[in-house]
């Protein structure tokens, strides 16, 4: 439920280009999207720190997948190496090899190295992936030893054959992953020589390890592990380290809250990580904002470096000299880059503005930071700045064919006072093209999470709906991130409460202040938590002519026992199900379904265990029995995040057709 900042979750995952060819006014947008670089990944520095690599993704217009291309660029944006066929590289400290995960010649997936001088590939070690969901912030990464002689990686222990016809014996709480029943395999830390040979397993047992980093002296590997009495029943990650020579494991942090992404300082004396202070957090959409912490490598009392900012920290990097930490944080619809002394102190802004900074890397040899950035006007491109942010320069123009081809509708930012005087932020996108003097229908879209947010980036859903002739309203209600911890806590014990009232106050504000909006022709849609809110909204008001809910929740009681996110419910409504039964049932759209008169489209992945398809089925059956016009569309093989271009295309086409049928006509 974490994703879904656009109308539907998979729209934000990069496959938003699903546009029905049945709408002639959108043909140009379809063609434009085929020119779009759908993703610009995290820059990866070359070994000398004087250039970098970055992976980009583009749509395959003739297929159901995406094409990945790796670029090797200098700090001025010049191309250093054309047509790189291997995945995004990760270089050894001496620059002789780069390592990556990929399938070998025989189809075996694992760790590979590319010998730069010889121009040869070698397969080093098989990686066996557990299907366990370790959380959105967990990383099954690879890391070089400081001397470049070994590679550490995370993997399960050996191959596993499953008899699909045999009985399944369930003996753990997390018996589901995101799209499968759990294979009950644990992920551990392994090392392998760059010259090949038998890998060594360093960690063992009934716990998972992930998110690794190698100490600068080469003696230890730090990792994250949840070693609570029952790791399925509490998300209590701590920072641990394993001795590479002996395999001895020691604990570095011991806090009630989960920790993530540990990274050694350049001198190895400290470890930085992300985390909070609250117990009973969730693998999915945490209410508490992650902060940036530093702890001594030998352990001790951690220090919170970012708390004074009161914003959610997303990622961080050490400065080359270890004196500072750079970090990304959400801030009122933007994502900015900040710097803070590693010993604590004043937080300095480095990159700000009405932008979303997507990823960054700090050069260890140059006074440069390379970062990706998007805005309402500009899709993802790469930029460079100095370590102190004194100047900034755009160094790629990957999206020029897209920008030159399409005409984007520019969202207008607005703020309004909600029911209790709280200021709430939103964006309004006009239909594209727009004709003065006309009245247009309006679609309210609700983001997922609940702790997600709309941002200063191109909203592909808004662009799509604008070209279909709709105004699009995006609001960050209570629970959204980027406005401080108190605001993010706004859904605590209150799903469908203050956030619903924020959304309705925002609709009222727009109808009152924008004379082109037809307040009699409104629609509402959302995916994941946005789907829950869509279901909830139509049980509370009949002001919307049509609704479309994707990946949605209808019954918090049954969701608790059938989703893999029981901890999400225990975090948002503190306590166990049986302790909060009345409240959870009261905040379930299904309880209030008899109030619904709004024609409703439900769409759902059949293999979705984040939000099981039974949630849509329950709501669909109730609506049909009540005589409400409704359809349920099930997508075989799809989980919560659709990975099929064809299915996303189908979903968007149905979405617009549904709204055209019930919203665009003049008669209610």
């Amino acid at each position: 439920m974490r994703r879904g900042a656009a109308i539907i979750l998979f729209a934000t995952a990069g496959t938003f280009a699903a546009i029905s060819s049945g709408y002639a006014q959108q043909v140009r947008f379809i063609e434009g999207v085929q020119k779009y670089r759908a993703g610009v990944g995290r820059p990866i520095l070359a070994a000398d720190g004087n250039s970098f690599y970055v992976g980009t993704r583009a749509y395959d217009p003739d297929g159901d997948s995406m094409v990945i291309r790796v670029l090797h660029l200098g700090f001025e944006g010049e191309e250093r190496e054309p047509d790189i066929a291997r995945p995004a590289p990760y270089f050894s400290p001496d620059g002789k090899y780069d390592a990556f995960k990929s399938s070998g010649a025989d189809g075996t997936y694992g760790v590979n190295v590319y010998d730069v001088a010889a121009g040869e590939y070698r397969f080093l070690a098989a990686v066996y992936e557990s299907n366990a969901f370790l959380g959105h912030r967990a990383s099954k990464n690879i890391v070089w030893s400081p001397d470049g002689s070994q590679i550490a990686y995370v993997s399960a222990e050996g191959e596993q054959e499953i008899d699909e016809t045999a009985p399944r014996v369930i003996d753990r709480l997390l018996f589901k992953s995101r799209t499968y029943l759990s294979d009950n395999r644990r992920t551990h830390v392994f090392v392998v020589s760059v010259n090949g040979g038998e890998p060594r397993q360093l960690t063992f047992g009934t716990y998972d390890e992930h998110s690794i980093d190698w100490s600068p002296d080469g003696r230890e590997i730090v990792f994250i592990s949840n070693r609570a009495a029952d790791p399925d029943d509490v998300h209590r990650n701590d920072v641990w380290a394993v001795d590479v020579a002996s395999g001895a494991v020691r604990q570095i942090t011991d806090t009630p809250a989960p920790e993530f992404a540990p990274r050694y300082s350049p001198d190895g004396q400290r470890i930085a990580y992300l985390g909070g202070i609250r117990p009973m957090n969730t693998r999915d959409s945490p209410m508490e904002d992650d902060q940036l912490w530093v702890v001594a490598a030998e352990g001790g009392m951690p220090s919170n470096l970012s708390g004074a900012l009161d914003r959610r920290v997303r990622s961080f990097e050490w400065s080359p000299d270890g004196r500072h930490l750079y970090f990304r944080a959400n801030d009122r619809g933007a994502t900015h880059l900040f710097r803070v002394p590693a010993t604590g102190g004043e937080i300095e802004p480095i990159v700000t503005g009405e932008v979303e900074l997507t990823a960054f890397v700090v050069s260890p040899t140059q006074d440069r930071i390379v970062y990706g950035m998007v805005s309402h006007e500009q899709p993802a491109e790469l930029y460079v700045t100095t370590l102190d942010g004194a100047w900034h320069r755009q160094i790629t123009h990957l999206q020029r064919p897209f920008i030159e081809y399409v005409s984007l509708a520019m969202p207008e930012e607005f703020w309004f006072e909600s029911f209790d005087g709280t200021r709430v932020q939103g964006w309004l996108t006009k239909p594209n093209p727009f004709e003065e003097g006309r009245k247009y229908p309006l679609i309210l879209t609700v983001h997922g999470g609940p702790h997600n947010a709309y941002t200063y980036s191109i909203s592909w859903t808004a662009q799509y709906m604008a070209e279909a002739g709709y105004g699009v309203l995006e609001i960050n209600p209570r629970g959204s991130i980027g406005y401080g911890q108190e605001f993010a806590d706004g859904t605590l014990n209150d799903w469908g409460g203050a956030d619903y009232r924020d959304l309705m106050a925002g609709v009222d504000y727009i109808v009152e202040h924008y004379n082109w909006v037809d307040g009699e022709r409104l629609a509402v849609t959302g995916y994941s938590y946005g789907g829950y809110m869509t279901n909830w909204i139509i049980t509370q008001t009949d002001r919307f002519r049509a609704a479309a809910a994707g990946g949605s929740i209808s019954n918090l009681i049954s969701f608790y026992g059938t989703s893999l996110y029981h901890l999400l419910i225990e975090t948002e409504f503190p306590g166990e199900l049986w302790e909060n039964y009345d409240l959870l049932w009261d905040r379930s759209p299904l309880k209030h379904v008899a109030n619904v008169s709004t024609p409703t489209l439900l769409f759902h992945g059949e293999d979705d265990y984040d939000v099981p398809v039974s949630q849509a089925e329950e709501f669909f059956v109730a609506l049909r029995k009540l005589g409400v016009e409704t359809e349920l569309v099930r997508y075989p093989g799809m989980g919560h995040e659709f990975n099929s271009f064809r299915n996303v295309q189908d979903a968007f086409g149905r979405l617009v057709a549904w709204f055209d049928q019930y919203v665009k006509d003049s008669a209610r």
Side-chain angles (χ1 to χ4, degrees), residues 414 416-419 442 444 473 475 500-514 517 519 522 541 543-544:
F414 66 94
F416 65 94
E417 287 193 2
S418 192
F419 65 96
L442 181 72
L444 169 67
L473 177 58
I475 296 172
Y500 165 73
R501 298 174 72 183
D502 286 344
L503 292 170
M504 294 305 101
V507 172
D508 291 340
Y509 177 88
I510 292 302
V511 171
E512 179 182 353
H513 289 85
Y514 292 83
V517 173
L522 303 176
T541 178
R543 71 187 301 183
F544 296 94

Side-chain angles (χ1 to χ4, degrees), residues 170-182:
I170 306 299
D171 62 358
R172 58 179 297 189
L173 277 172
L174 288 182
F175 62 92
K176 291 180 177 179
S177 67
R178 301 197 69 190
T179 55
Y180 302 94
L181 292 180
S182 174

Side-chain angles (χ1 to χ4, degrees), residues 536-554:
W536 178 261
I537 286 169
I538 60 176
T539 69
Q540 306 300 305
T541 178
D542 63 356
R543 71 187 301 183
F544 296 94
R545 286 196 180 188
S552 63
I553 296 175
S554 64

Side-chain angles (χ1 to χ4, degrees), residues 375-485:
S375 69
H376 281 150
E377 300 179 357
Q378 177 65 61
E381 296 285 4
L382 293 171
Y383 300 75
V384 66
T385 184
T386 53
L387 295 184
D388 60 2
W391 57 262
H392 307 262
R393 180 183 302 132
Q394 182 176 342
I395 59 173
T396 64
H397 297 85
L398 301 171
Q399 313 293 1
R400 183 172 289 163
F402 172 76
I403 290 296
E404 292 177 348
Y405 196 84
V406 303
S407 174
L408 294 174
M410 289 298 105
E412 178 183 342
E413 177 192 6
F414 66 94
W415 290 78
F416 65 94
E417 287 193 2
S418 192
F419 65 96
D420 60 354
T422 299
R423 284 178 55 76
V424 177
Q425 186 182 28
W427 289 269
L428 179 65
T429 302
K430 290 180 177 179
N432 185 22
F434 178 80
E435 181 182 332
E436 292 289 350
R438 283 190 58 187
K439 289 276 193 177
Y440 289 91
L442 181 72
I443 299 174
L444 169 67
T445 73
V446 188
H447 70 63
H451 307 292
N452 209 322
Y454 291 112
T455 65
Y456 286 105
S457 60
I458 293 177
S459 171
W460 305 105
T461 300
Q463 295 298 323
Y464 170 67
M465 292 298 176
E467 287 208 357
Y470 294 92
V472 181
L473 177 58
E474 300 169 315
I475 296 172
N476 285 337
R478 234 66 63 101
S480 302
I481 59 174
Y483 305 90
Q485 189 60 64

Side-chain angles (χ1 to χ4, degrees), residues 28-252:
R28 187 170 179 83
F29 186 74
I30 297 171
E31 295 173 352
V33 167
Q34 292 173 353
K35 301 175 184 295
Y36 173 67
R37 290 282 178 180
V40 176
R42 179 180 179 272
I44 300 172
L45 288 171
D48 60 5
N50 294 324
S51 62
F52 64 94
Y53 293 78
V54 65
T56 70
R57 294 175 296 144
Y59 290 108
D60 175 7
D62 299 320
D64 199 30
S65 61
M66 304 189 76
V67 177
I68 297 175
R69 183 187 176 201
V70 177
L71 306 177
H72 183 192
L73 304 173
F75 289 127
E76 299 298 322
E78 72 277 14
E79 190 170 40
R80 297 287 186 88
E81 185 180 357
D83 300 324
I84 301 171
R86 61 189 183 275
Y90 179 44
F91 282 94
S92 59
D94 58 12
K96 293 182 178 179
Y97 305 97
D98 83 60
F100 53 90
K101 290 182 182 179
S102 184
S103 296
D106 63 353
T108 303
Y109 179 75
V111 179
N112 295 259
V113 293
Y114 175 72
D115 186 317
V116 176
E120 296 176 347
Y121 295 88
R122 281 188 289 113
F123 185 85
L124 290 187
V127 172
Y128 304 102
E129 297 283 4
S130 164
N131 69 11
F133 178 59
L134 302 179
H136 293 293
R137 292 166 287 176
S139 174
K140 298 181 181 180
N141 58 322
I142 60 176
V143 60
W144 283 94
S145 63
D147 64 3
S149 66
Q150 299 180 86
I151 297 172
Y153 61 98
V154 293
S155 173
E157 300 178 53
E159 293 185 88
Q160 181 187 59
E161 292 187 7
I162 298 177
D163 182 356
E164 298 290 347
T165 65
R168 302 287 183 92
V169 179
I170 306 299
D171 62 358
R172 58 179 297 189
L173 277 172
L174 288 182
F175 62 92
K176 291 180 177 179
S177 67
R178 301 197 69 190
T179 55
Y180 302 94
L181 292 180
S182 174
D183 58 17
N184 289 323
R185 310 179 79 193
R186 300 295 183 177
T187 296
H188 298 299
V189 181
F190 292 76
V191 295
V192 64
S193 169
V194 71
N195 297 316
E198 189 68 23
R200 287 192 299 126
Q201 184 174 342
L202 296 184
T203 60
F204 301 83
T206 58
Y207 305 104
D208 291 294
E209 294 92 31
H210 56 87
S211 306
I212 59 177
D213 192 34
W214 212 309
S215 65
D217 63 9
R219 295 176 57 188
E220 288 188 319
I221 294 172
V222 69
F223 60 88
I224 293 294
S225 186
N226 179 359
R227 302 197 172 193
D230 185 352
D232 290 353
D233 198 30
V234 62
H235 195 36
R236 188 177 174 178
N237 288 346
D238 283 305
V239 181
W240 301 73
V242 57
D243 187 283
V244 177
S246 69
V249 173
R250 66 184 181 91
Q251 187 171 1
I252 297 174

